[in-house]
């Protein structure tokens, strides 16, 4: 099974004008909060990359018995400037993701029409800032953080959508709940629990990645049955293992490099 990187077509522009360099040049020219994108070539390239990747991933999902329409791409813009986020939205990418609060907040303010997802590790003392800025938080990695975000959702009258991060592979270097901890989870009162999230081992082959993603789907189904609410979302897969995730029922695939090029 191929990485989604293999489906990116060769860039039309000279290699020295990568997306990141273009975004930095545009931001420097127009200011850090500028929202006007004028380089149609960049927009067209992002659109073509997204559409090609989405079609391929949905093809894989359908071939493995999953609803292809349920699979969507979250474009990860971390370390890229605001101009790249604006170009992504102009290209038709509705969902964008960030992994750091400090970097994400200015982008959320500059590109409010996107649905913003927080995909990084969230410290408890930044939970309120995350809940105010982001519509969806993927990496809720403990029952305590779930409880805190639920309280904040009630206080802010903002029903943030949450996904529980599960360390399916058991790697010591990864965050997330152990699968057994899901037994202690109850449905939140104010926030909306919508699914689970995981990250496969970085060096995993396709079969190992699929096993991790399959296990997350099983855990999701078990949790949904136990607490009695629908959990439609499975956030799993990145540029290197997106096809494996699609084959196991991913609904939110987090794609950065294959859309926007290498990060600085």
């Amino acid at each position: 099974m191929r990485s989604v990187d293999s489906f990116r077509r060769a860039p039309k522009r000279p290699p020295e004008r990568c997306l990141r360099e273009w975004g930095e040049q545009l931001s420097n020219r127009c200011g850090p909060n500028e929202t006007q994108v004028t380089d149609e070539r960049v927009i067209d390239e992002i659109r073509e990359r997204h559409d090609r990747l989405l079609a391929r991933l949905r093809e894989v999902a359908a071939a493995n018995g999953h609803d292809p329409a349920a699979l969507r791409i979250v474009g990860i813009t971390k370390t890229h400037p605001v101009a790249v986020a604006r170009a992504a939205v102009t290209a038709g990418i509705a969902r964008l993701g960030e992994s750091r609060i400090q970097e994400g907040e200015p982008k959320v303010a500059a590109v409010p029409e996107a649905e913003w997802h927080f995909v990084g590790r969230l410290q408890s003392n930044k939970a309120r800032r995350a809940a105010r800025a982001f519509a969806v938080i993927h990496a809720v990695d403990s029952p305590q953080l779930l409880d805190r975000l639920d309280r904040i959702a009630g206080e802010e009258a903002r029903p943030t959508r949450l996904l529980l991060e599960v360390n399916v592979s058991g790697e010591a270097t990864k965050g997330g709940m152990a699968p057994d901890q899901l037994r202690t989870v109850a449905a939140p009162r104010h926030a909306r629990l919508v699914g689970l999230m995981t990250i496969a081992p970085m060096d995993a082959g396709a079969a190992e990645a699929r096993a991790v993603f399959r296990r997350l789907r099983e855990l999701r189904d078990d949790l949904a049955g136990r607490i009695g609410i629908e959990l439609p979302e499975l956030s799993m897969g990145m540029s290197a293992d997106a096809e494996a995730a699609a084959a196991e029922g991913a609904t939110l695939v987090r794609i950065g490099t294959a859309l926007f090029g290498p990060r600085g």
Side-chain angles (χ1 to χ4, degrees), residues 18-25 27-28 32 75-86 96-108 116-120 134 255-264:
C18 70
L19 285 170
R20 178 173 175 80
E21 290 170 340
W22 168 84
E24 289 173 342
Q25 290 165 7
S27 291
N28 289 337
I76 305 302
T77 56
K78 66 179 183 180
T79 78
H80 290 289
V82 167
V84 170
R86 166 56 58 185
L96 299 178
E98 287 288 327
S99 63
R100 294 183 178 89
I101 297 294
Q102 294 91 329
E103 182 183 352
E105 285 173 326
K107 292 180 185 177
V108 172
W116 284 97
H117 294 230
F118 188 78
V119 299
F134 294 88
I255 302 291
T257 301
L259 287 176
F260 309 123
R263 301 185 183 97

Side-chain angles (χ1 to χ4, degrees), residues 1-7 56-64 66 71 204-211 213-214 237-250:
M1 189 171 287
R2 290 175 287 179
S3 160
V4 294
D5 285 334
S6 65
F7 290 92
R56 173 58 184 163
L57 294 177
R58 286 180 168 177
E59 177 185 351
V60 171
N64 286 273
H66 305 292
L71 189 150
E208 183 182 357
R210 284 195 62 167
F213 298 145
R214 185 181 312 119
M238 297 183 285
S239 291
D241 55 13
E243 285 197 31
E248 295 299 336

